[in-house]
Amino acid sequence: MIYADHAATAPLDPAARAAMEPYLAQEFGNPSALYRHGLAARRAVELARQRIAACLGCAPEEIYFTSGGSEGNSWAVWHAARAALSGQGGGVLAVSAIEHHSLLRACDSMKAIGCRTRLLRPDGRGVISPEEAERALAHHPALLSVQYANNEVGAVQPIRAIAALCRAHGVLFHTDAVQAVGHIPLSLEGVDLLSASAHKFGGPKGVGFLYARRGDRPAPLISGGGQERGARGGTEPVYAIVGMAAALEAACKRREALAGQLRRMEAEFRAVLRAGCPQAVFRGPDGAGEKLPGLISVTLPGVRAEGMVYRMDLAGVCLSAGAACDQRGRREPSHVLTALGLTPEEAECTLRLSFGPANAPEDGAETARRLLAALADTRGLAG
């Protein structure tokens, strides 16, 4: 079996599993309790916060634990909308058209309280230019949000330049870094809010964090008993938080070496597929620093991606048709691909592959060979 869907979720890192085990059994205390079991749990949570902050190069008090990327995105939008309602910004939420559904739908939900969404348009590679951000900033939004790296075509955005523009205009800047954290070097310069999810970099599912620049404490999205310094209610999942910290440290340590391996695998996949299927069209940027290493978006004209996912599963390869969160939703073409200019038919014929630490060096070429065999079978059935 070849697992080529790391952008959907990554396997649990052994370091994360080892770190979590004590907190699944004997160390079961509630971090808010004042006796020894609770104090031990609290120490574990705060140590994890420090380790995550060290990986990002920020202060521990700038890290708030969440249930994952969707909550982090929703929290950032709610925080900005609250500020807009209190007269600290306009009622506009400026976000890129290729954001994850969790952020786009959070913005849509703010219409009920008087906010409206303005979409920033990408170029044909999936990149939001600083010029496009500048045009959106002319409308004095309460928030500008651009993904650090796109989850479908892998485009890495010019975050440093966009963040600098937001700072110059006095506009709150958020970036959804779910696909970027642990995979590429990050810059927090000018970033006010950043969301991340553990399972994308080898941590457990159901936990993540929101970075909030010191001095910009986020307005609570979830009310409760005062956890996370009063910003986010709910008993902290100690085992998951500890596992996330261990996974992030492991991901950051191997990041540079793994990126080189993934680029080689991707190059081999492209070469083998192009040789056997010249009509295949690769999407997104192709420069080493412009896209996530190992993430591939490819259109196979006339071949429905959904059917090919099932065929490749039978061939022993896990991949996806567009973003993983769309698989059980409405049967519509990817909003990311259509924003890049693809027709609905082209979008429905586009596969996403994402290699990662679960892969062997030869998996790139072997995946392409199995894809070519599946294409040949499909054409044979059609004939």
Side-chain angles (χ1 to χ4, degrees), residues 96-370:
S96 85
I98 57 174
E99 295 297 309
H100 191 270
H101 280 305
S102 63
L103 192 131
L104 292 173
R105 289 171 181 163
C107 289
D108 285 344
S109 71
M110 294 300 109
K111 291 178 182 177
I113 59 173
C115 292
R116 62 188 188 280
T117 303
R118 180 180 178 84
L119 296 179
L120 285 70
R121 297 295 174 182
D123 63 19
R125 303 171 303 148
V127 175
I128 304 295
S129 70
E131 292 76 18
E132 178 69 3
E134 185 83 76
R135 284 189 285 272
L137 288 168
H139 295 266
H140 309 292
L143 173 76
L144 191 143
S145 183
V146 174
Q147 274 182 327
Y148 214 111
N150 182 260
N151 54 307
E152 292 197 43
V153 297
V156 175
Q157 306 298 341
I159 293 299
R160 190 187 295 266
I162 294 173
L165 288 170
C166 289
R167 181 60 52 86
H169 285 263
V171 171
L172 192 72
F173 178 61
H174 165 258
T175 182
D176 171 357
V178 166
Q179 292 291 342
V181 172
H183 301 291
I184 59 175
L186 300 183
S187 169
L188 294 178
E189 187 175 346
V191 174
D192 297 300
L193 299 162
L194 176 149
S195 44
S197 186
H199 76 103
K200 302 293 188 177
F201 51 77
K205 297 175 181 65
V207 68
F209 63 84
L210 180 73
Y211 159 83
R213 183 175 55 85
R214 190 160 23 197
D216 192 27
R217 182 175 177 273
L221 176 67
I222 299 175
S223 299
Q227 293 89 351
E228 292 303 288
R229 306 184 298 285
R232 198 266 190 188
T235 300
E236 298 93 339
V238 182
Y239 72 95
I241 289 170
V242 168
M244 173 168 61
L248 183 56
E249 286 182 334
C252 290
K253 286 177 183 176
R254 67 169 177 254
R255 183 179 61 207
E256 188 174 345
L258 180 61
Q261 296 171 16
L262 296 180
R263 290 189 183 103
R264 287 190 290 274
M265 290 168 57
E266 180 180 346
E268 291 171 0
F269 174 88
R270 287 173 178 256
V272 173
L273 186 64
R274 279 196 179 108
C277 183
Q279 63 270 37
V281 181
F282 290 91
R283 307 295 180 181
D286 54 14
E290 299 175 329
K291 67 177 291 295
L292 291 171
L295 193 149
I296 303 164
S297 176
V298 59
T299 303
L300 303 172
V303 180
R304 295 283 177 175
E306 187 173 327
M308 189 53 64
V309 169
Y310 297 127
R311 289 185 176 277
M312 290 299 285
D313 185 33
L314 294 174
V317 178
C318 301
L319 45 72
S320 72
C325 56
D326 290 341
Q327 299 298 309
R328 297 183 183 180
R330 293 170 295 179
R331 298 172 66 89
E332 294 181 352
S334 159
H335 71 285
V336 171
L337 297 175
T338 53
L340 268 60
L342 277 69
T343 65
E345 291 75 20
E346 290 171 328
E348 289 171 3
C349 294
T350 301
L351 293 169
R352 183 189 70 181
L353 302 91
S354 44
F355 297 110
N359 294 115
E362 65 274 10
D363 282 357
E366 178 59 22
T367 298
R369 285 191 285 267
R370 295 188 194 182

